[in-house]
């Protein structure tokens, strides 16, 4: 068995055909999980907001794009535009309202596989996207008429584009990163948390005695930060003029039971998965000791959104779902830990590494069984109640 594991890893690392075959199988699994019972779960309140906004956007789309000033001020989120189109063609029902998030959840698998493979190799990339596919948190938001699946995809792609821009000194990658970040911010403003992640990353690169990437130069940094100043100031100006407006818009539910630091942290640990968190932390420590810059950025991307939301929760409304953007970072780091435990150990000890991978996969799969069979997709069964 141990020899089979070793030869399997070697074949996986050296055979592109084998990699793509496994990627195709994982993508098909994503299709099966995200479309299974997609239209059976009852609508819940937030989905109705999405449907109303998607319909209004679709009906008003010509007016929006014919007016340049209005287009700049109110650029509809990509997921809203696509959902509005789906509702117009297929009618209003649970399946059509959730079609776009489900498709985004599926295409995230092959799209995210390639940048992860460039950073950590095919074995880590395949395990990471497999964890994403079976993640109860990602599955839930892929089966919701909400924006979170699109938010995660755009956010993490913006993060990867920035990293490759600095690593390879490619200014065009920075422009791509800014475009993806702008699209992510339109989905939800929490995506702006990428900026503190990037700032902390750049500061640590300057402070730590590590080799500096070739793109760490003033030109690239100015290209990333300066274009966002005007939109940021235009957005913040009303709140600077009247601070009470901030409390009105964002502080309306500060005293809710799910709006405190402990609840936020406990929720994120539960939804990401305790095995993923633990192995992710070990994977981050292992790579940071090797002075891996990609691991440094992913470690910050995994922790800063959670810590920021915890810190803000006593003052403004927050929820653990706002930390959803950190999900893939944890999974990549956990995948690195599992892969290294298998490849670095010898003989019979390698079974411990295989065991860690099994635990990493079985924990979310057990939650998926509950999700489908007993928890009604983690939402109230209003359809049965009205019947």
């Amino acid at each position: 068995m141990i020899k089979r594991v070793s030869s399997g890893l070697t074949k996986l690392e050296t055979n592109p055909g084998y990699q793509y075959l496994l990627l195709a199988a994982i993508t098909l699994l994503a299709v099966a999980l995200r479309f299974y019972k997609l239209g059976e779960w009852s609508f819940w309140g937030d989905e109705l907001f999405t449907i109303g906004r998607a319909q209004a956007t679709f009906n008003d789309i010509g007016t929006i794009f014919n007016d340049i000033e209005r287009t700049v001020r109110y650029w509809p989120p990509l997921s809203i535009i696509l959902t509005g189109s789906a509702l117009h063609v297929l009618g209003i029902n649970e399946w059509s309202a959730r079609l776009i998030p489900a498709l985004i959840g599926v295409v995230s698998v092959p799209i995210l596989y390639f940048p992860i493979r460039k950073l950590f190799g095919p074995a880590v990339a395949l395990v990471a996207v497999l964890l994403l596919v079976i993640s109860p948190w990602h599955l839930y938001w892929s089966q919701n008429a909400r924006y979170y699946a699109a938010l995660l995809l755009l956010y993490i792609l913006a993060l990867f584009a920035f990293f490759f821009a600095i690593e390879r000194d490619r200014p065009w990658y920075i422009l791509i990163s800014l475009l993806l970040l702008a699209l992510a911010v339109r989905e939800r403003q929490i995506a702006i948390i990428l900026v503190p992640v990037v700032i902390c990353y750049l500061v640590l690169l300057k402070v730590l005695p590590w080799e500096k990437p070739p793109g760490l130069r003033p030109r690239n940094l100015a290209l990333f930060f300066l274009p966002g100043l005007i939109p940021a100031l235009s957005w913040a100006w009303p709140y600077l003029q009247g601070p009470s407006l901030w409390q009105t818009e964002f502080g309306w539910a500060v005293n809710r039971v799910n709006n405190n630091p402990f609840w936020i942290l406990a929720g994120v640990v539960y939804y990401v998965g305790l095995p993923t968190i633990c192995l992710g932390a070990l994977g981050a420590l292992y790579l940071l000791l090797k002075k891996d810059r990609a691991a440094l950025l992913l470690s910050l991307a995994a922790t800063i959104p959670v810590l920021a939301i915890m810190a803000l929760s006593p003052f403004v409304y927050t929820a653990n779902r706002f930390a959803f953007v950190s999900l893939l970072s944890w999974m990549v780091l956990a995948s690195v830990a599992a892969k290294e435990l298998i490849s670095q150990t010898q003989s019979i000890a390698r079974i411990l590494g295989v065991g860690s991978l099994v635990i990493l996969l079985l924990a979310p799969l057990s939650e998926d069984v509950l999700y489908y069979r007993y928890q009604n997709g983690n939402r109230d069964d209003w359809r049965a109640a009205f019947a």
Side-chain angles (χ1 to χ4, degrees):
M1 175 182 174
I2 301 303
K3 290 183 178 179
R4 288 179 182 176
V5 171
S6 180
S7 62
L9 275 177
T10 303
K11 184 178 181 180
L12 183 62
E13 294 286 349
T14 59
N15 190 333
Y18 191 35
Q19 298 163 18
Y20 293 134
L21 181 63
L22 289 174
L23 178 61
I26 293 171
T27 305
L28 288 175
L29 178 61
V31 173
L33 291 177
R34 275 141 189 80
F35 281 88
Y36 179 57
K37 292 190 174 185
L38 181 64
E40 291 191 22
W41 318 126
S42 306
F43 279 132
W44 63 292
D46 284 14
E47 288 185 301
L48 301 181
F49 288 123
T50 299
I51 292 170
R53 187 179 181 189
Q55 286 183 293
T57 298
F58 183 85
N59 295 331
D60 205 26
I61 198 74
T63 306
I64 294 172
F65 288 106
N66 286 332
D67 186 339
I68 296 178
E69 181 181 355
R70 192 176 176 203
T71 300
V72 173
R73 294 180 61 187
Y74 177 71
W75 181 275
L78 184 61
S79 63
I80 290 292
I81 296 174
L82 296 175
T83 298
S85 302
L87 293 173
H88 178 75
V89 174
L90 302 173
I92 300 176
N93 56 66
E94 290 88 346
W95 194 89
S96 60
R98 298 167 183 154
L99 174 62
I100 298 305
L103 289 174
I104 292 174
V106 170
V107 301
S108 297
V109 174
I111 290 175
L112 294 173
Y113 166 78
F114 291 99
I116 299 172
R117 187 181 70 172
K118 282 185 177 295
L119 293 175
F120 300 106
V124 170
L126 287 169
V127 173
V129 295
L130 177 58
L131 287 173
L132 188 70
V133 166
I134 63 177
S135 163
W137 210 9
H138 193 266
L139 175 59
Y140 174 73
W141 289 120
S142 297
Q143 290 198 320
N144 258 288
R146 298 297 282 158
Y147 47 77
Y148 289 100
L151 171 66
L152 176 63
L153 177 61
L154 294 168
Y155 175 92
I156 204 70
L157 287 176
L159 189 74
F160 284 145
F162 172 81
F163 179 79
F164 288 126
I166 299 300
E167 284 294 307
R168 302 179 181 182
D169 196 13
R170 302 280 178 84
W172 281 106
Y173 279 34
I174 291 182
L175 298 179
I176 293 172
S177 176
L178 289 174
L179 174 60
L180 291 166
L181 178 58
L183 292 173
V185 170
R186 288 309 305 149
E187 295 292 338
R188 189 70 175 186
Q189 292 172 349
I190 189 61
I192 204 66
I193 198 71
L194 184 142
V195 176
V197 170
V198 165
I199 291 174
C200 290
Y201 174 69
L202 295 173
V203 169
L204 288 174
L205 282 183
K206 287 288 188 180
V207 172
L208 294 173
W210 292 12
E211 183 181 355
K212 313 303 179 187
L216 189 62
R217 57 177 65 188
R219 178 200 65 186
N220 292 336
L221 302 185
L223 190 60
F224 182 81
F225 289 106
L226 292 181
L229 286 180
I230 295 177
L233 288 174
S234 65
W235 176 81
W237 185 248
Y239 303 105
L240 296 175
Q241 286 185 307
S244 60
L245 180 62
W246 178 275
Q247 186 67 22
T248 301
E249 292 195 7
F250 300 103
W252 56 273
V254 168
N255 295 322
R256 285 179 59 173
V257 67
N258 65 342
N259 196 75
N260 63 73
F262 175 76
W263 188 284
I264 299 296
L265 178 60
V268 171
V269 171
Y270 174 78
Y271 289 121
V272 174
L274 187 58
T276 302
I277 294 282
C278 293
L279 272 180
L282 292 175
L285 179 61
Y286 170 79
L287 290 175
L288 291 175
L289 291 174
K290 296 178 68 174
K291 300 183 179 180
D292 188 294
R293 294 190 293 268
L296 176 62
L297 183 60
L298 286 180
S299 300
L300 294 170
T303 54
I304 286 180
V306 182
L307 296 175
I309 293 166
M310 291 172 61
L312 289 172
S313 62
F315 310 104
V316 298
Y317 174 66
T318 57
N320 48 46
R321 62 180 179 270
F322 295 170
F324 183 64
V325 294
S326 68
L327 177 65
L328 188 71
S329 299
W330 285 111
M331 290 177 169
V332 173
L333 294 170
S335 301
V336 169
K339 185 256 181 181
E340 292 298 326
L341 281 171
I342 295 172
S343 61
Q344 297 288 348
T345 50
Q346 301 295 324
S347 187
I348 195 69
R350 187 168 285 152
I351 198 170
L352 299 175
V354 176
S356 69
L357 179 59
V358 170
I359 293 172
L360 201 58
L361 297 175
L362 285 183
L365 284 173
S366 65
E367 292 293 328
D368 292 345
V369 173
L370 295 175
Y371 173 87
Y372 286 117
R373 298 199 60 182
Y374 302 105
Q375 296 174 342
N376 194 59
N378 285 346
R379 63 203 92 189
D380 295 324
D381 192 356
W382 291 111
R383 183 181 292 177
F386 279 106

